PDB file of all heavy atoms in Angstrom:
ATOM      1  N   LYS U   1     -12.513  10.847  -3.574  1.00  0.00           N
ATOM      2  CA  LYS U   1     -12.703  11.026  -5.005  1.00  0.00           C
ATOM      3  C   LYS U   1     -11.399  11.352  -5.717  1.00  0.00           C
ATOM      4  O   LYS U   1     -11.183  10.969  -6.854  1.00  0.00           O
ATOM      5  CB  LYS U   1     -13.727  12.134  -5.256  1.00  0.00           C
ATOM      6  CG  LYS U   1     -15.142  11.766  -4.825  1.00  0.00           C
ATOM      7  CD  LYS U   1     -16.103  12.925  -5.011  1.00  0.00           C
ATOM      8  CE  LYS U   1     -17.503  12.571  -4.526  1.00  0.00           C
ATOM      9  NZ  LYS U   1     -18.437  13.717  -4.637  1.00  0.00           N
ATOM     10  N   SER U   2     -10.548  12.096  -5.065  1.00  0.00           N
ATOM     11  CA  SER U   2      -9.293  12.506  -5.693  1.00  0.00           C
ATOM     12  C   SER U   2      -8.213  11.442  -5.586  1.00  0.00           C
ATOM     13  O   SER U   2      -7.219  11.483  -6.296  1.00  0.00           O
ATOM     14  CB  SER U   2      -8.779  13.800  -5.039  1.00  0.00           C
ATOM     15  OG  SER U   2      -8.374  13.548  -3.709  1.00  0.00           O
ATOM     16  N   GLY U   3      -8.403  10.500  -4.665  1.00  0.00           N
ATOM     17  CA  GLY U   3      -7.370   9.496  -4.437  1.00  0.00           C
ATOM     18  C   GLY U   3      -6.292   9.991  -3.514  1.00  0.00           C
ATOM     19  O   GLY U   3      -5.291   9.319  -3.317  1.00  0.00           O
ATOM     20  N   LEU U   4      -6.471  11.190  -2.942  1.00  0.00           N
ATOM     21  CA  LEU U   4      -5.458  11.768  -2.063  1.00  0.00           C
ATOM     22  C   LEU U   4      -5.271  10.884  -0.842  1.00  0.00           C
ATOM     23  O   LEU U   4      -6.177  10.654  -0.073  1.00  0.00           O
ATOM     24  CB  LEU U   4      -5.906  13.173  -1.620  1.00  0.00           C
ATOM     25  CG  LEU U   4      -4.952  13.928  -0.704  1.00  0.00           C
ATOM     26  CD1 LEU U   4      -3.648  14.204  -1.424  1.00  0.00           C
ATOM     27  CD2 LEU U   4      -5.580  15.242  -0.232  1.00  0.00           C
ATOM     28  N   GLY U   5      -4.068  10.399  -0.691  1.00  0.00           N
ATOM     29  CA  GLY U   5      -3.764   9.586   0.480  1.00  0.00           C
ATOM     30  C   GLY U   5      -3.960   8.101   0.258  1.00  0.00           C
ATOM     31  O   GLY U   5      -3.291   7.286   0.888  1.00  0.00           O
ATOM     32  N   ILE U   6      -4.852   7.719  -0.611  1.00  0.00           N
ATOM     33  CA  ILE U   6      -5.145   6.299  -0.828  1.00  0.00           C
ATOM     34  C   ILE U   6      -3.953   5.582  -1.459  1.00  0.00           C
ATOM     35  O   ILE U   6      -3.536   4.523  -1.004  1.00  0.00           O
ATOM     36  CB  ILE U   6      -6.405   6.128  -1.706  1.00  0.00           C
ATOM     37  CG1 ILE U   6      -7.641   6.588  -0.927  1.00  0.00           C
ATOM     38  CG2 ILE U   6      -6.557   4.675  -2.148  1.00  0.00           C
ATOM     39  CD1 ILE U   6      -8.926   6.499  -1.721  1.00  0.00           C
ATOM     40  N   GLU U   7      -3.403   6.173  -2.516  1.00  0.00           N
ATOM     41  CA  GLU U   7      -2.304   5.524  -3.217  1.00  0.00           C
ATOM     42  C   GLU U   7      -1.062   5.433  -2.325  1.00  0.00           C
ATOM     43  O   GLU U   7      -0.327   4.439  -2.373  1.00  0.00           O
ATOM     44  CB  GLU U   7      -1.971   6.284  -4.505  1.00  0.00           C
ATOM     45  CG  GLU U   7      -0.961   5.580  -5.391  1.00  0.00           C
ATOM     46  CD  GLU U   7      -1.409   4.179  -5.803  1.00  0.00           C
ATOM     47  OE1 GLU U   7      -2.630   3.953  -5.975  1.00  0.00           O
ATOM     48  OE2 GLU U   7      -0.532   3.304  -5.930  1.00  0.00           O
ATOM     49  N   ALA U   8      -0.829   6.471  -1.526  1.00  0.00           N
ATOM     50  CA  ALA U   8       0.326   6.451  -0.620  1.00  0.00           C
ATOM     51  C   ALA U   8       0.197   5.314   0.385  1.00  0.00           C
ATOM     52  O   ALA U   8       1.171   4.597   0.660  1.00  0.00           O
ATOM     53  CB  ALA U   8       0.448   7.787   0.104  1.00  0.00           C
ATOM     54  N   GLN U   9      -1.019   5.124   0.932  1.00  0.00           N
ATOM     55  CA  GLN U   9      -1.242   4.023   1.863  1.00  0.00           C
ATOM     56  C   GLN U   9      -1.084   2.680   1.162  1.00  0.00           C
ATOM     57  O   GLN U   9      -0.481   1.747   1.699  1.00  0.00           O
ATOM     58  CB  GLN U   9      -2.644   4.127   2.466  1.00  0.00           C
ATOM     59  CG  GLN U   9      -2.849   5.323   3.381  1.00  0.00           C
ATOM     60  CD  GLN U   9      -4.263   5.386   3.919  1.00  0.00           C
ATOM     61  OE1 GLN U   9      -4.745   4.445   4.538  1.00  0.00           O
ATOM     62  NE2 GLN U   9      -4.939   6.508   3.682  1.00  0.00           N
ATOM     63  N   ARG U  10      -1.621   2.599  -0.045  1.00  0.00           N
ATOM     64  CA  ARG U  10      -1.542   1.337  -0.794  1.00  0.00           C
ATOM     65  C   ARG U  10      -0.084   0.940  -1.048  1.00  0.00           C
ATOM     66  O   ARG U  10       0.294  -0.221  -0.877  1.00  0.00           O
ATOM     67  CB  ARG U  10      -2.301   1.488  -2.110  1.00  0.00           C
ATOM     68  CG  ARG U  10      -2.257   0.253  -2.991  1.00  0.00           C
ATOM     69  CD  ARG U  10      -3.081   0.440  -4.240  1.00  0.00           C
ATOM     70  NE  ARG U  10      -4.504   0.484  -3.942  1.00  0.00           N
ATOM     71  CZ  ARG U  10      -5.328   1.464  -4.331  1.00  0.00           C
ATOM     72  NH1 ARG U  10      -4.868   2.485  -5.035  1.00  0.00           N
ATOM     73  NH2 ARG U  10      -6.610   1.419  -4.030  1.00  0.00           N
ATOM     74  N   GLN U  11       0.717   1.908  -1.439  1.00  0.00           N
ATOM     75  CA  GLN U  11       2.120   1.619  -1.727  1.00  0.00           C
ATOM     76  C   GLN U  11       2.887   1.254  -0.459  1.00  0.00           C
ATOM     77  O   GLN U  11       3.746   0.367  -0.482  1.00  0.00           O
ATOM     78  CB  GLN U  11       2.768   2.821  -2.417  1.00  0.00           C
ATOM     79  CG  GLN U  11       2.248   3.062  -3.826  1.00  0.00           C
ATOM     80  CD  GLN U  11       2.993   4.175  -4.538  1.00  0.00           C
ATOM     81  OE1 GLN U  11       4.035   4.626  -4.082  1.00  0.00           O
ATOM     82  NE2 GLN U  11       2.458   4.615  -5.659  1.00  0.00           N
ATOM     83  N   ALA U  12       2.581   1.938   0.645  1.00  0.00           N
ATOM     84  CA  ALA U  12       3.257   1.629   1.911  1.00  0.00           C
ATOM     85  C   ALA U  12       2.961   0.198   2.348  1.00  0.00           C
ATOM     86  O   ALA U  12       3.850  -0.531   2.798  1.00  0.00           O
ATOM     87  CB  ALA U  12       2.822   2.624   2.985  1.00  0.00           C
ATOM     88  N   ILE U  13       1.694  -0.200   2.209  1.00  0.00           N
ATOM     89  CA  ILE U  13       1.304  -1.556   2.591  1.00  0.00           C
ATOM     90  C   ILE U  13       1.942  -2.579   1.660  1.00  0.00           C
ATOM     91  O   ILE U  13       2.412  -3.636   2.095  1.00  0.00           O
ATOM     92  CB  ILE U  13      -0.232  -1.685   2.592  1.00  0.00           C
ATOM     93  CG1 ILE U  13      -0.832  -0.854   3.733  1.00  0.00           C
ATOM     94  CG2 ILE U  13      -0.657  -3.154   2.715  1.00  0.00           C
ATOM     95  CD1 ILE U  13      -2.344  -0.769   3.701  1.00  0.00           C
ATOM     96  N   ALA U  14       1.965  -2.267   0.358  1.00  0.00           N
ATOM     97  CA  ALA U  14       2.553  -3.198  -0.616  1.00  0.00           C
ATOM     98  C   ALA U  14       4.040  -3.417  -0.341  1.00  0.00           C
ATOM     99  O   ALA U  14       4.533  -4.552  -0.398  1.00  0.00           O
ATOM    100  CB  ALA U  14       2.350  -2.660  -2.037  1.00  0.00           C
ATOM    101  N   ARG U  15       4.752  -2.334  -0.042  1.00  0.00           N
ATOM    102  CA  ARG U  15       6.186  -2.468   0.249  1.00  0.00           C
ATOM    103  C   ARG U  15       6.405  -3.282   1.520  1.00  0.00           C
ATOM    104  O   ARG U  15       7.292  -4.129   1.587  1.00  0.00           O
ATOM    105  CB  ARG U  15       6.821  -1.083   0.403  1.00  0.00           C
ATOM    106  CG  ARG U  15       7.114  -0.387  -0.903  1.00  0.00           C
ATOM    107  CD  ARG U  15       8.055   0.792  -0.681  1.00  0.00           C
ATOM    108  NE  ARG U  15       7.475   1.765   0.227  1.00  0.00           N
ATOM    109  CZ  ARG U  15       6.684   2.758  -0.156  1.00  0.00           C
ATOM    110  NH1 ARG U  15       6.381   2.905  -1.435  1.00  0.00           N
ATOM    111  NH2 ARG U  15       6.198   3.616   0.719  1.00  0.00           N
ATOM    112  N   PHE U  16       5.580  -3.004   2.538  1.00  0.00           N
ATOM    113  CA  PHE U  16       5.710  -3.727   3.801  1.00  0.00           C
ATOM    114  C   PHE U  16       5.446  -5.217   3.593  1.00  0.00           C
ATOM    115  O   PHE U  16       6.194  -6.061   4.096  1.00  0.00           O
ATOM    116  CB  PHE U  16       4.726  -3.153   4.821  1.00  0.00           C
ATOM    117  CG  PHE U  16       4.760  -3.850   6.148  1.00  0.00           C
ATOM    118  CD1 PHE U  16       5.683  -3.487   7.118  1.00  0.00           C
ATOM    119  CD2 PHE U  16       3.878  -4.884   6.436  1.00  0.00           C
ATOM    120  CE1 PHE U  16       5.728  -4.132   8.342  1.00  0.00           C
ATOM    121  CE2 PHE U  16       3.917  -5.531   7.660  1.00  0.00           C
ATOM    122  CZ  PHE U  16       4.840  -5.151   8.612  1.00  0.00           C
ATOM    123  N   ALA U  17       4.383  -5.531   2.860  1.00  0.00           N
ATOM    124  CA  ALA U  17       4.035  -6.934   2.625  1.00  0.00           C
ATOM    125  C   ALA U  17       5.129  -7.641   1.823  1.00  0.00           C
ATOM    126  O   ALA U  17       5.495  -8.783   2.115  1.00  0.00           O
ATOM    127  CB  ALA U  17       2.698  -7.016   1.897  1.00  0.00           C
ATOM    128  N   SER U  18       5.656  -6.958   0.820  1.00  0.00           N
ATOM    129  CA  SER U  18       6.704  -7.557  -0.015  1.00  0.00           C
ATOM    130  C   SER U  18       7.964  -7.831   0.805  1.00  0.00           C
ATOM    131  O   SER U  18       8.560  -8.907   0.705  1.00  0.00           O
ATOM    132  CB  SER U  18       7.032  -6.615  -1.173  1.00  0.00           C
ATOM    133  OG  SER U  18       8.096  -7.125  -1.954  1.00  0.00           O
ATOM    134  N   THR U  19       8.343  -6.870   1.632  1.00  0.00           N
ATOM    135  CA  THR U  19       9.539  -7.033   2.459  1.00  0.00           C
ATOM    136  C   THR U  19       9.355  -8.162   3.471  1.00  0.00           C
ATOM    137  O   THR U  19      10.290  -8.917   3.761  1.00  0.00           O
ATOM    138  CB  THR U  19       9.866  -5.730   3.211  1.00  0.00           C
ATOM    139  OG1 THR U  19      10.066  -4.687   2.254  1.00  0.00           O
ATOM    140  CG2 THR U  19      11.108  -5.870   4.065  1.00  0.00           C
ATOM    141  N   GLY U  20       8.137  -8.277   4.012  1.00  0.00           N
ATOM    142  CA  GLY U  20       7.882  -9.295   5.023  1.00  0.00           C
ATOM    143  C   GLY U  20       7.464 -10.637   4.468  1.00  0.00           C
ATOM    144  O   GLY U  20       7.124 -11.556   5.235  1.00  0.00           O
ATOM    145  N   GLY U  21       7.437 -10.764   3.149  1.00  0.00           N
ATOM    146  CA  GLY U  21       7.052 -12.025   2.543  1.00  0.00           C
ATOM    147  C   GLY U  21       5.592 -12.366   2.741  1.00  0.00           C
ATOM    148  O   GLY U  21       5.227 -13.526   2.935  1.00  0.00           O
ATOM    149  N   MET U  22       4.733 -11.356   2.682  1.00  0.00           N
ATOM    150  CA  MET U  22       3.294 -11.558   2.871  1.00  0.00           C
ATOM    151  C   MET U  22       2.557 -11.414   1.546  1.00  0.00           C
ATOM    152  O   MET U  22       2.985 -10.674   0.662  1.00  0.00           O
ATOM    153  CB  MET U  22       2.727 -10.539   3.863  1.00  0.00           C
ATOM    154  CG  MET U  22       3.282 -10.641   5.261  1.00  0.00           C
ATOM    155  SD  MET U  22       2.527  -9.392   6.357  1.00  0.00           S
ATOM    156  CE  MET U  22       3.352  -9.794   7.909  1.00  0.00           C
ATOM    157  N   GLU U  23       1.442 -12.087   1.447  1.00  0.00           N
ATOM    158  CA  GLU U  23       0.575 -11.986   0.276  1.00  0.00           C
ATOM    159  C   GLU U  23      -0.723 -11.291   0.680  1.00  0.00           C
ATOM    160  O   GLU U  23      -1.440 -11.770   1.573  1.00  0.00           O
ATOM    161  CB  GLU U  23       0.263 -13.362  -0.302  1.00  0.00           C
ATOM    162  CG  GLU U  23      -0.688 -13.306  -1.486  1.00  0.00           C
ATOM    163  CD  GLU U  23      -1.125 -14.680  -1.948  1.00  0.00           C
ATOM    164  OE1 GLU U  23      -0.639 -15.687  -1.378  1.00  0.00           O
ATOM    165  OE2 GLU U  23      -1.974 -14.749  -2.865  1.00  0.00           O
ATOM    166  N   VAL U  24      -1.037 -10.174   0.057  1.00  0.00           N
ATOM    167  CA  VAL U  24      -2.272  -9.451   0.353  1.00  0.00           C
ATOM    168  C   VAL U  24      -3.413 -10.099  -0.427  1.00  0.00           C
ATOM    169  O   VAL U  24      -3.455 -10.048  -1.658  1.00  0.00           O
ATOM    170  CB  VAL U  24      -2.154  -7.961  -0.015  1.00  0.00           C
ATOM    171  CG1 VAL U  24      -3.487  -7.256   0.218  1.00  0.00           C
ATOM    172  CG2 VAL U  24      -1.048  -7.298   0.811  1.00  0.00           C
TER     173      VAL U  24
END
């Protein structure tokens, strides 16, 4: 409900995908 941890995971995945040339 608070979003605790969710946004951090989302950003980590987004950065990884962007660096690796992946499309989520």
Side-chain angles (χ1 to χ4, degrees):
K1 292 176 182 177
S2 68
L4 181 64
I6 292 178
E7 188 58 33
Q9 293 179 57
R10 178 177 291 127
Q11 291 185 12
I13 291 172
R15 281 195 300 273
F16 179 85
S18 176
T19 301
M22 297 180 179
E23 177 187 357
V24 176

